[in-house]
Amino acid sequence: MSRYVLGLEEIDRTRAAVVGGKGAHLGELSRVKGIRVPAGFCVTTDAFRRVVAEAPSVNDRLDRLSRLKPEDRGAIRALGAEIRRTLEGIAIPDDLAAEITGALAELGERAACAVRSSATAEDLPTASFAGQQDTYLNVAGPAAILQRVGRCWASLFTERAVTYRLQNGFDHRKVQMAVVVQRMVFPRASGVLFTADPLTGNRKVASIEAVFGLGEALVSGVANADAYEVRDGGVVARAVAAKRLALHASLAGGTQEQAIGPERQDQPALTDAQVVRLARLGRRIEAHFGRPQDIEWCLADDEFEFVQSRPITTLFPVPEAGDGENRVYVSVGHQQMMTDPMKPLGLSFWQMTTPRPMAEAGGRLFVDVTRELASPASRAGLLAVLGGSDPLIGDALRTMVEREDFLPSLPDEGPAWAPPGGGAPTPIETDPAVVAELIGRSQASIAALKREIRAKSGGALFDFILADLQEMRRVQFDPRSMQAIMAGMEAARWLNERLEAWLGEKNAADTLAQSAPNNVTSEMGLALLDVADAIRPHRDVVAFLRHVGDEAFLDELPGIEGGREARDAIRAWLDRYGMRGVGEIDITRPRWSERPTTLVPMILGNVRNFGPGAAKRRFEQGLQEAREKERELLGRLRALPEGERKAEEAKRMIDRVRTFAGYREYPKYGMVGRYFVYKQALMEEAGRLARAGVLREKEDIFYLRFEELREVARTNRVDDRLVRERKDAFRSYGALTPPRVLTSDGEAVAGAYRRDDVPAGALAGLAVSAGAVEGRARVILDMAEADLEAGDILVTAYTDPSWTPLFVAIEGLVTEVGGLMTHGAVIAREYGLPAVVGVEHATRLIRDGQRIRVHGTDGYVEVLP
């Protein structure tokens, strides 16, 4: 076997390190029965490494390249050009050139060939790298082939390739380049075939694009393409484009554009029979590779030849059901305001926490609502609750109901649907003592947990946690707790409906809920203002905090004037709220107590933007506005016919909102507090396993499910390969966008706002906190990078409770994900911030720094000139 050249027939998918992604896939593709692949060979990565070794100066430039950021475009361009010139200037050693020309002779020494780059980080399941390196078509003759091989090696360092690697975290030194040389195909038509719909993700729909001539015209955008969709062996959609240009091989070598005569411009590139045959071949390729494929094909002499097949990297995975039945899944993350992927330990804890079974896909959790959606008895409740919380979920579910052939036919019987732990709410007295009692019981339960878990380790620890999870579920889904939450929600709904009908007042409950008592999440944001008050008088402390580098800064503070007071204030805040953090429903995510440096930018922002006593003033202002609104509304009601009755009813509901609205945030606070106690105990156990050499590092436990970790602790053995695979999978999940509603066909069902009250050009969303505000948009995806000024409007993907400290510094809120009772909405109402949530693609459609107007009462956002 040659070290430098391998025939395609010698290659399979396991050889990517030797022949790159493209070469490995082509070799594997050539093994699929009934699939034609143009003959060819690969120049291996060993040849690339040998050539690079001839240029020691490349090493220094690679060091400099690795230190750049994707936005350093000028430096990337200059350094990349230097490396390319160096590589192109190296003469290919004689023995290597002889191997390449020898393989070329087997194709026909003067045969026209395609010379194609094949990097080792190309066509991966998690990153395609498509189009990042160079391809040369219709190249003939040994000298020309050798020259193009050298250019392919150099193309590893084009600006676009280097930038792509930097963006995706690939080490430049670890990416090697192979080159594929294949006999050229001169097709009548070419194109791409996706064995799943790349837009919706539907695995049962094949999507085909076709042009006359070479497929490069489609890739480069020179030619319009015909589009076809195939399902169940038939063409279900077609759009024939006006094709005015095609790309063909040139007699002089390379390619050239050719005009298409008027008589052919509107003719389809493929017949329906050819489309169906191509889709059938695509299914054969997909079955061989075991996942949906992005396939490049050519049609010559009425035979399809395939010149590439790579995994479609953008599809969201489908939950495994195993029974072949149609299913409809609803995203848990969109309800919990955490659409990022979760690690396996986090997934298993959340599944053990909630009473309803959940499916997994792409590191996210989904609830199967097929039966509830199919049954008329439960459907109305499901649509009312989920649609009321998130209209886009509601609309997507209605879309599925309208597809009469998808859902099973179930009788109109059975219980109505209710949220997990819910059910029909029973009356509860409007008494603040009820909330105080519920909070006291939760606090006592967590205090007992902290006392008892200290003595547990090994198997006893895991047994204890399993038992305590039952206690947590008892507390979390205590009927009286659920009644208190529902009482506040139902009272707010009653007020909004009745006061709009009686007085024309929209979303009145939003103002009435401001500064409600017992809202532990809004209190957290105000308490951080008090921390700023303790720090603001001490200039040396402020200066020190501006340059904090690691988590030890709290221990260093006492050495600075005023530092002891600052440290005590921060620690007191952490004692109460330090178990929280971004993505807190995932037990594996860092907590503020573990990374207090994440608080520093928010504290400094509060020092800069506010004066002493801001927390108390803010709370009192909200309370005053709520009381004034109550007086105003009751006065207006009394002036109506039957006004005394209406005012009396409204007063009862206002009291219920004030009594119970704040408690909505407490159960999750209690759950997260419990999670942190579990995590601390499990990390101690992980430390023991790491010291014993069982684990490479403590954090490896995050990539094991609870029962798997329990077994590791019992046996002192871990499957390192499984941990590595889970880490790789988790990294890949971060690039995926989870759908609100997903089917067993893999289709991400998009809902829509079907409204006619949104001005042209405005962005529709869900109104969750009344009022209107205009200001500068700050588009922030990472809370640690927030740099807010007074008057800014926060625009982000989602907010969980950890974002609350930022709310004190903003005037309005816009999120892509959210519902009426999700945390961002609750806190926005508490603080009196106009807010619109569920605005699709808000972080892309609104640019950082633009002026926008948020219509929190009517539910839309305007981008201003």
Side-chain angles (χ1 to χ4, degrees), residues 433-574:
V434 172
V435 174
E437 179 189 350
L438 289 169
I439 291 174
R441 283 164 56 187
S442 175
Q443 291 175 337
S445 179
I446 293 175
L449 164 66
K450 289 178 178 178
R451 286 194 305 272
E452 294 170 19
I453 204 170
R454 290 180 189 139
K456 310 297 181 186
S457 63
L461 171 63
F462 291 89
D463 292 342
F464 177 81
I465 290 175
L466 279 176
D468 193 76
L469 280 166
Q470 299 307 310
E471 166 68 6
M472 179 166 74
R473 286 173 66 162
R474 185 189 68 78
V475 172
Q476 196 76 6
F477 301 106
D478 181 326
R480 200 156 171 79
S481 177
M482 298 302 293
Q483 289 163 17
I485 292 170
M486 294 302 294
M489 293 170 61
E490 288 298 314
R493 183 186 59 78
W494 188 96
L495 285 166
N496 284 336
E497 289 178 358
R498 298 299 175 89
L499 294 177
E500 183 171 7
W502 291 340
L503 299 174
E505 183 85 24
K506 295 180 72 173
N507 299 334
D510 294 354
T511 304
L512 295 167
Q514 287 184 203
S515 298
N518 298 309
N519 189 321
V520 70
T521 307
S522 66
E523 290 168 1
M524 175 175 68
L526 297 177
L528 205 60
L529 287 173
D530 290 335
V531 172
D533 285 353
I535 290 171
R536 189 179 293 106
H538 307 293
R539 291 183 179 180
D540 291 345
V541 172
V542 173
F544 171 79
L545 291 177
R546 289 194 183 114
H547 303 287
V548 162
D550 58 46
E551 307 304 337
F553 78 94
L554 286 174
D555 295 327
E556 298 170 18
L557 274 171
I560 302 168
E561 184 179 351
R564 190 174 300 278
E565 294 91 329
R567 181 202 62 186
D568 292 347
I570 295 172
R571 281 189 172 164
W573 191 92
L574 288 171

Side-chain angles (χ1 to χ4, degrees), residues 131-411:
Q132 300 307 314
Q133 286 91 34
D134 287 352
T135 288
Y136 299 94
L137 301 179
N138 193 29
V139 184
I145 297 287
L146 290 172
Q147 182 194 54
R148 299 314 192 281
V149 168
R151 289 183 181 175
C152 284
W153 288 333
S155 74
L156 191 61
F157 299 100
T158 61
E159 180 184 348
R160 63 181 182 271
V162 171
T163 301
Y164 193 91
R165 287 197 295 275
L166 289 171
Q167 289 171 335
N168 287 273
F170 284 85
D171 187 336
H172 300 299
R173 293 182 179 280
K174 293 182 179 178
V175 180
Q176 307 293 321
M177 179 67 84
V179 181
V180 176
V181 180
Q182 285 179 282
R183 184 180 289 123
M184 185 71 186
V185 179
F186 301 97
R188 188 184 75 78
S190 304
V192 293
L193 157 64
F194 295 94
T195 62
D197 188 323
L199 297 179
T200 68
N202 194 323
R203 270 55 164 190
K204 292 187 176 179
V205 174
S207 177
I208 295 169
E209 292 186 339
V211 295
F212 290 128
L214 292 165
E216 290 296 303
L218 172 60
V219 174
S220 64
V222 169
N224 294 327
D226 297 342
Y228 307 87
E229 289 185 359
V230 180
R231 179 168 183 153
D232 299 328
V235 177
V236 295
R238 79 175 57 73
V240 178
K243 298 175 286 296
R244 295 180 174 81
L245 287 173
L247 201 65
H248 291 281
S250 168
L251 291 175
T255 61
Q256 63 181 14
E257 294 178 13
Q258 292 182 7
I260 298 173
E263 72 283 357
R264 292 187 65 217
Q265 288 180 2
D266 295 321
Q267 289 184 4
L270 298 175
T271 66
D272 280 7
Q274 289 170 331
V275 168
V276 171
R277 177 155 54 101
L278 176 59
R280 192 180 305 122
L281 293 170
R283 292 294 179 208
R284 187 176 298 175
I285 294 170
E286 177 186 64
H288 181 85
F289 282 101
R291 59 181 297 170
Q293 296 289 298
D294 168 2
I295 300 166
E296 297 175 21
W297 56 269
C298 302
L299 178 65
D301 300 325
D302 201 38
E303 292 289 346
F304 286 105
E305 298 206 42
F306 295 89
V307 294
Q308 183 55 303
S309 185
R310 61 174 71 89
I312 306 175
T313 60
T314 56
L315 296 178
F316 198 84
V318 182
E320 293 183 11
D323 58 6
E325 298 293 326
N326 288 348
R327 297 181 183 275
V328 179
Y329 302 96
V330 172
S331 164
V332 173
H334 285 80
Q335 302 292 312
Q336 291 296 328
M337 295 300 93
M338 217 292 276
T339 56
D340 294 344
M342 297 170 67
K343 297 184 180 75
L345 187 64
L347 290 168
S348 62
F349 259 96
W350 189 255
Q351 287 169 309
M352 291 188 295
T353 299
T354 56
R356 182 165 183 141
M358 294 182 181
E360 290 181 33
R364 280 81 167 186
L365 292 170
F366 294 84
V367 174
D368 183 347
V369 297
T370 311
R371 292 191 65 80
E372 292 90 342
L373 202 59
S375 170
S378 56
R379 180 187 305 148
L382 177 75
L383 292 175
V385 173
L386 294 183
S389 171
D390 186 327
L392 294 177
I393 289 178
D395 189 71
L397 292 177
R398 290 185 186 91
T399 298
M400 297 311 303
V401 172
E402 291 166 3
R403 295 183 187 174
E404 298 176 356
D405 61 340
F406 191 85
L407 293 170
S409 180
L410 297 179

Side-chain angles (χ1 to χ4, degrees), residues 593-638:
S593 287
E594 296 168 320
R595 292 190 185 170
T597 52
T598 56
L599 292 173
V600 172
M602 291 183 280
I603 294 172
L604 291 174
N606 289 345
V607 169
R608 182 177 67 246
N609 293 326
F610 297 94
K616 183 178 181 181
R617 284 197 306 276
R618 182 138 194 171
F619 185 84
E620 290 298 328
Q621 179 184 343
L623 188 61
Q624 185 62 33
E625 289 176 6
R627 288 171 175 167
E628 183 57 38
K629 192 68 174 177
E630 177 181 338
R631 282 193 294 270
E632 175 214 329
L633 292 170
L634 295 180
R636 290 166 63 191
L637 286 173
R638 290 189 182 99

Side-chain angles (χ1 to χ4, degrees), residues 2-64:
S2 168
R3 178 183 173 189
Y4 297 124
V5 175
L6 294 174
L8 287 182
E9 70 281 358
E10 300 178 82
I11 299 166
D12 61 23
R13 71 179 89 182
T14 67
R15 306 300 301 278
V18 177
V19 296
K22 186 181 278 105
H25 281 86
L26 278 168
E28 188 71 37
L29 190 59
S30 68
R31 296 167 179 261
V32 184
K33 187 177 180 180
I35 298 300
R36 296 164 64 101
V37 176
F41 60 89
C42 287
V43 183
T44 68
T45 54
D46 281 335
F48 174 75
R49 277 191 289 269
R50 178 175 171 185
V51 170
V52 171
E54 299 286 327
S57 64
V58 170
N59 281 325
D60 174 60
R61 290 173 179 144
L62 286 178
D63 287 338
R64 288 154 59 197

